Amino acid sequence: MVRFRHVLCCALSFVVAGGGLTSTSADDRPLDYQRNVRPILADKCFQCHGPDAGHRQADLRLDMAPPKDGSAIRPGHPDDSEIIRRIESSDPETRMPPARSGKAITPAETAILRRWIAEGARWSDHWAYVTPAKRAAPGAGGIPGAAHWIDAFLLERLQRDGRQFAPAADRVTLLRRLSFDLRGLPPSPEEVRTFVADVDPRAVEKVVDRYLASDEYGERMATVWLDLVRFADTVGYHGDQVHHITPYRDWVIDAFIDDMPFDQFTREQLAGDLLPDATVDQRIASGYNRLLQTSHEGGVQEKEYLAMYAADRVRNLSAVWLGATVGCAPCHDHKFDPYTQRDFYALAAFFADLDEAQHLKRGSDASPTVRAPELRVHTRRERAELAAIDDQILALRNRPTGDEQKEATAKQIADLEARKMSLEKAARLTMISAAIEPRTIRLLPRGNWLDESGPIIEPAVPSFLGGLNVKGRRPTRLDLARWLTDPRDGAGLLTARVMVNRFWAILFGAGLSRSLEDFGAQGEAPDHPELLDRLAVGFVENGWRIKPLLRQIVLTRAYQQSSVASDRSTDPDNRLLSRQARFRLPAEMIRDNALAISGLLVRQLGGPSVHPYQPAGYYKHLNFPKRDYHADNDARQWRRGLYVHWQRQFLHPMLKAFDAPRREECVPRRSRSNTPLAALALLNDPSFIEAARAFAARILAAGATDEDRINAAFEIAVSRTPDDRERVILLKLLQESRSAFLVRGDDAAARVLATGLAPQAKDHPTREVAAWTMVARALLNLSETVTRP
């Protein structure tokens, strides 16, 4: 990775005094500039004394090493340093930061700055922009309990504080964790029993390899990527009409299933249409460039919206691949990071060859709308089946047959042709990229799209990150994609660091740097920087393959330890990773989990978006055009949440209640709220009621006595048998429900079972099925059921 000429300061908004990792001997060691000092300067000082030359005050930069002969910071002499004098001044006219900034440096922060200057004011480049090194594991394998080099990095830090990993998780917990993390689904009772009984030392490895080889793995990982690239079924602005893009989602799923190298994954999305002899799949992948929000309102100003679209693309590109907030620089240089306004427009210029103006002329407020260029495509499985059908038909027609066989052969051919016709009708439109003559990109003074006085800007990468080795021609999106994943002459190792951090977060609930979205000055530095560096370098050296990376992480002691800790007081945020994380499942996974438990889940791969139940009238405020929502009335109701129709302005209420994003912007990290709305959705959403009814039928078929059925229900829902207290509570609920339906009669019980498509338990009285449905609803609402252990 290129070494940067002007490197900006760090990230760690949380650490200052009393934050971040602690140590029993921390007071004996010099302050760490990255961890202790830069967060204060970045938060309190950079806005006026940072990289934005146009708004810099007093010609003072604090994002770079202080000049040795300067008066602002005199190493070894805090009392003679102007910065300390200004911070401690009692005069509001000279005190820094000024009151108008809304910032104030606390006494504890002042003490840190004083101590730092007294210790020599040692400065270092921003961690994210320093080339990662493949560091040797501490102790050269001599760390007690560290069988894996990842464990060695973590244990060395833990043992320095006299701590250890938590005990290993029990086998059931570990299997549930692996199943949710790698497939997004719970393990079946049969899987649990097989794994618990497997005495093979490679039992965990076998499960991991099976999960990584599954189609469900591709669906689970696709959800993460679709959040990053803001995939949605609708345009977002104004009428929020449907646009054609679902084949892109299927391409992403297949890419993860195939373990496509991430550098290739990048090239095909940013520039699939520019690759030599681009395949159908590569053109589908280029739909990434079309995922932004667009407007189809008749009165839009073309120049205004083209400027908005350019800004959208720069925001997403920089966030997804660089962990950067270049989107902050359309009006001025970045306030905190070394990205300039020119860098912003130079990145936008790479996308000037995309004909996004077509929809402003041809698009309409119909839904679906027109967003040319579009391509009608089949999935790769449909294409393979069509080719196989053609081969079979040809073989049948060329096969010699007697009179008695002609009729049978003709029927076979007719059946194949009917299937072929059905498949041909299944083709879907999808937006793609198609290069045109690039339009002129100008630097817009103060971001004003009406002001065309700024200079013309050619495509280029951010200047402090180096440059492109392109001579005699205009750089293209393909050049940009290659640069993003070039570890030697491009930003490849920065990209690797960003992505590895996100993959780690999938498996631990948080990244090694908690800032999945921002590796700049306003983010957080990693808690274990050497480990992050080695993982990033290894990711590149292993061919940018994601499956081997995830495999090596989940086979560590760190991953397989218990999430239960006897004492959380000294590390409440688990930054030392002395235990695993326990957290609520993502929205789609909560839906998938309930459907899997109930037995309703349809495991079809790919296809158009589906429409589960949602409240009547939810779309009443959608206009241009007015539209009604029609829930699917077949097995599409029970497909995975990944395939649910994603309406940006009116996201499905269940997904919204559980913090799924609207996908208007890149979302590397979802929030996790705890609200009554989520509990009510889990209890009353028709999809969950239907799942409970189907689960009740499954429970009734699983045993002859109430106790046997309760045991089976618990095993299906949370992979274990209930304890005595839990069994008593559920039996009491069952009896109370039976009594209630006895009093209210069959009509009340029938109302519980009346709606929906789920199959009924026909061999049992209506009131009995309704009573067990109440038990099933309780189990689906357990915290344990919706929690990744």
Side-chain angles (χ1 to χ4, degrees):
M1 187 167 68
V2 179
R3 180 73 176 191
F4 315 112
R5 294 187 290 275
H6 297 293
V7 199
L8 158 78
C9 57
C10 161
L12 306 191
S13 56
F14 74 96
V15 180
V16 218
L21 297 181
T22 58
S23 172
T24 54
S25 57
D27 290 341
D28 300 329
R29 296 193 301 272
L31 289 175
D32 182 287
Y33 176 73
Q34 295 279 354
R35 184 161 298 284
N36 304 115
V37 179
R38 264 190 177 157
I40 303 172
L41 298 178
D43 184 38
K44 307 296 174 65
C45 307
F46 283 4
Q47 188 165 356
C48 298
H49 302 292
D52 183 3
H55 296 80
R56 191 179 302 133
Q57 302 295 312
D59 198 27
L60 173 63
R61 289 192 71 167
L62 295 175
D63 63 307
M64 300 179 66
K68 294 181 180 179
D69 58 351
S71 62
I73 298 175
R74 295 194 61 200
H77 303 281
D79 288 329
D80 296 333
S81 298
E82 185 65 20
I83 187 173
I84 298 297
R85 291 197 191 105
R86 291 298 192 100
I87 290 170
E88 295 180 341
S89 173
S90 58
D91 183 352
E93 294 298 319
T94 59
R95 186 188 307 125
M96 291 290 151
R100 66 177 182 276
S101 71
K103 303 280 188 179
I105 296 179
T106 67
E109 292 169 338
T110 302
I112 288 175
L113 294 177
R114 274 187 159 277
R115 179 178 165 188
W116 171 62
I117 295 172
E119 290 174 351
R122 283 183 290 271
W123 188 90
S124 59
D125 288 349
H126 178 39
W127 64 273
Y129 304 142
V130 175
T131 305
K134 189 175 182 180
R135 305 173 190 273
I143 302 291
H148 194 286
W149 60 264
I150 292 176
D151 292 329
F153 277 105
L154 299 174
L155 277 170
E156 188 275 335
R157 184 67 186 84
L158 282 166
Q159 291 173 7
R160 197 192 309 162
D161 281 6
R163 304 179 63 152
Q164 287 288 339
F165 285 142
D170 64 82
R171 279 212 154 186
V172 172
T173 297
L174 178 58
L175 186 66
R176 285 180 65 80
R177 181 184 299 161
L178 286 166
S179 189
F180 282 127
D181 285 353
L182 299 182
R183 300 189 305 175
L185 294 170
S188 68
E190 295 73 25
E191 285 180 293
V192 174
R193 287 191 286 269
T194 299
F195 180 65
V196 170
D198 192 347
V199 296
D200 187 341
R202 295 189 63 255
V204 177
E205 293 180 58
K206 290 188 297 185
V207 166
V208 170
D209 290 341
R210 186 171 75 251
Y211 285 174
L212 289 174
S214 68
D215 288 346
E216 290 84 2
Y217 162 80
E219 293 174 313
R220 190 269 180 274
M221 295 298 292
T223 300
V224 177
W225 186 255
L226 298 181
D227 276 0
L228 291 173
V229 298
R230 74 252 190 267
F231 171 91
D233 287 289
T234 60
V235 304
Y237 290 136
H238 296 127
D240 200 23
Q241 298 88 358
V242 170
H243 58 195
H244 300 116
I245 195 60
T246 56
Y248 169 84
R249 177 184 57 207
D250 296 347
W251 177 87
V252 171
I253 295 168
D254 285 337
F256 280 110
I257 291 172
D258 296 342
D259 200 23
M260 180 184 287
F262 188 77
D263 55 346
Q264 178 186 349
F265 188 65
T266 297
R267 287 192 300 273
E268 295 195 3
Q269 290 182 83
L270 285 169
D273 59 308
L274 300 181
L275 293 169
D277 302 316
T279 66
V280 169
D281 287 319
Q282 289 167 340
R283 296 177 74 190
I284 292 171
S286 75
Y288 159 76
N289 295 313
R290 313 294 307 288
L291 293 173
L292 74 170
Q293 295 188 92
T294 56
S295 175
H296 299 257
E297 192 264 327
V300 299
Q301 296 290 324
E302 180 174 327
K303 288 183 179 179
E304 177 186 14
Y305 273 82
L306 290 178
M308 290 170 60
Y309 298 165
D312 191 321
R313 290 196 171 99
V314 172
R315 288 196 304 272
N316 193 260
L317 173 88
S318 64
V320 173
W321 278 274
L322 300 175
T325 56
V326 186
C328 293
C331 308
H332 50 71
D333 292 347
H334 202 292
K335 292 288 187 182
F336 304 99
D337 299 336
Y339 297 101
T340 65
Q341 188 182 16
R342 178 175 284 270
D343 291 335
F344 176 92
Y345 289 99
L347 285 174
F350 281 106
F351 301 96
D353 66 338
L354 296 172
D355 189 5
E356 203 59 79
Q358 275 203 54
H359 81 269
L360 298 176
K361 300 179 177 68
R362 296 179 53 202
S364 69
D365 60 7
S367 186
T369 189
V370 177
R371 281 195 60 196
E374 297 174 318
L375 184 69
R376 190 171 294 278
V377 298
H378 287 95
T379 68
R380 69 176 188 178
R381 290 168 184 79
E382 290 168 342
R383 277 177 265 141
E385 187 176 353
L386 283 167
I389 287 173
D390 285 340
D391 290 342
Q392 292 175 57
I393 291 174
L394 182 61
L396 287 169
R397 285 175 174 163
N398 292 334
R399 186 175 67 186
T401 58
D403 291 340
E404 68 281 0
Q405 296 174 314
K406 285 183 178 179
E407 185 175 344
T409 300
K411 185 178 185 310
Q412 284 180 283
I413 292 174
D415 290 344
L416 288 169
E417 287 179 336
R419 174 58 181 162
K420 179 178 178 180
M421 184 178 298
S422 175
L423 282 172
E424 287 174 342
K425 291 179 179 178
R428 287 170 284 157
L429 283 172
T430 191
M431 296 180 290
I432 60 170
S433 298
I436 60 171
E437 183 68 24
R439 63 189 179 90
T440 300
I441 298 294
R442 291 183 179 274
L443 188 149
L444 301 180
R446 300 173 65 90
N448 183 359
W449 61 273
L450 291 171
D451 188 343
E452 297 185 341
S453 64
I456 294 175
I457 304 294
E458 296 296 321
V461 298
S463 55
F464 80 101
L465 293 176
L468 294 172
N469 187 20
V470 175
K471 296 181 180 178
R473 63 176 178 83
R474 178 189 174 95
T476 68
R477 287 179 278 117
L478 185 56
D479 296 314
L480 174 63
R482 288 170 174 157
W483 176 83
L484 286 167
T485 54
D486 183 345
R488 181 173 178 177
D489 298 317
L493 287 172
L494 172 57
T495 298
R497 203 187 243 148
V498 169
M499 292 310 304
V500 163
N501 190 53
R502 291 171 181 160
F503 296 138
W504 184 276
I506 292 172
L507 303 175
F508 287 89
L512 291 167
S513 164
R514 299 294 172 108
S515 299
L516 304 187
E517 67 284 349
D518 187 1
F519 269 29
Q522 295 296 96
E524 294 186 14
D527 296 316
H528 303 276
E530 296 84 3
L531 173 57
L532 180 57
D533 279 6
R534 177 153 174 180
L535 286 168
V537 174
F539 183 42
V540 174
E541 290 181 345
N542 291 326
W544 294 91
R545 294 195 176 273
I546 298 168
K547 286 185 180 181
L549 173 68
L550 298 178
R551 186 182 191 276
Q552 71 173 339
I553 295 174
V554 300
L555 293 177
T556 62
R557 276 190 66 197
Y559 177 83
Q560 296 181 22
Q561 64 185 320
S562 171
S563 59
V564 179
S566 57
D567 180 15
R568 297 174 182 242
S569 60
T570 56
D571 186 17
D573 293 330
N574 196 29
R575 293 180 180 274
L576 290 172
L577 293 169
S578 60
R579 61 183 183 277
Q580 249 289 3
R582 186 175 184 274
F583 49 86
R584 195 197 66 205
L585 298 173
E588 300 94 324
M589 218 177 283
I590 290 174
R591 170 187 165 84
D592 299 346
N593 187 39
L595 293 176
I597 290 169
S598 71
L600 291 175
L601 183 66
V602 174
R603 298 181 184 235
Q604 176 187 341
L605 196 68
S609 294
V610 299
H611 300 79
Y613 308 114
Q614 73 178 28
Y618 185 55
Y619 281 1
K620 69 181 179 181
H621 295 299
L622 269 178
N623 293 297
F624 311 112
K626 282 282 190 182
R627 68 208 83 162
D628 294 319
Y629 181 87
H630 299 285
D632 293 325
N633 58 4
D634 54 22
R636 288 174 293 178
Q637 273 288 344
W638 306 319
R639 297 200 61 201
R640 293 191 70 168
L642 169 73
Y643 301 108
V644 169
H645 174 78
W646 215 272
Q647 186 85 31
R648 278 175 163 142
Q649 289 186 19
F650 290 87
L651 184 63
H652 190 281
M654 177 267 156
L655 298 177
K656 188 175 181 180
F658 285 101
D659 302 308
R662 303 202 319 182
R663 291 182 178 159
E664 296 173 343
E665 296 287 344
C666 173
V667 181
R669 174 178 53 184
R670 291 189 182 186
S671 59
R672 293 192 193 106
S673 64
N674 187 8
T675 70
L677 287 176
L680 291 169
L682 196 58
L683 192 64
N684 297 314
D685 183 303
S687 294
F688 289 97
I689 293 176
E690 201 158 300
R693 289 209 315 270
F695 186 20
R698 190 176 180 187
I699 295 169
L700 284 164
T705 68
D706 290 347
E707 288 78 4
D708 288 343
R709 289 167 176 166
I710 293 292
N711 289 341
F714 241 84
E715 187 179 2
I716 295 168
V718 294
S719 308
R720 66 174 178 85
T721 55
D723 60 30
D724 291 341
R725 178 173 174 271
E726 291 165 333
R727 189 178 293 107
V728 167
I729 290 171
L730 286 179
L731 287 171
K732 181 180 179 183
L733 172 63
L734 177 64
Q735 294 303 330
E736 289 176 348
S737 299
R738 283 170 172 161
S739 299
F741 288 121
L742 181 62
V743 172
R744 296 174 186 172
D746 285 345
D747 288 345
R751 282 196 295 272
V752 173
L753 309 176
T755 59
L757 304 168
Q760 306 286 340
K762 296 180 180 178
D763 297 332
H764 299 273
T766 300
R767 286 180 295 196
E768 184 70 358
V769 178
W772 278 103
T773 298
M774 297 300 103
V775 173
R777 290 178 78 187
L779 287 170
L780 292 179
N781 278 267
L782 289 178
S783 172
E784 185 176 355
T785 304
V786 298
T787 297
R788 180 271 202 191

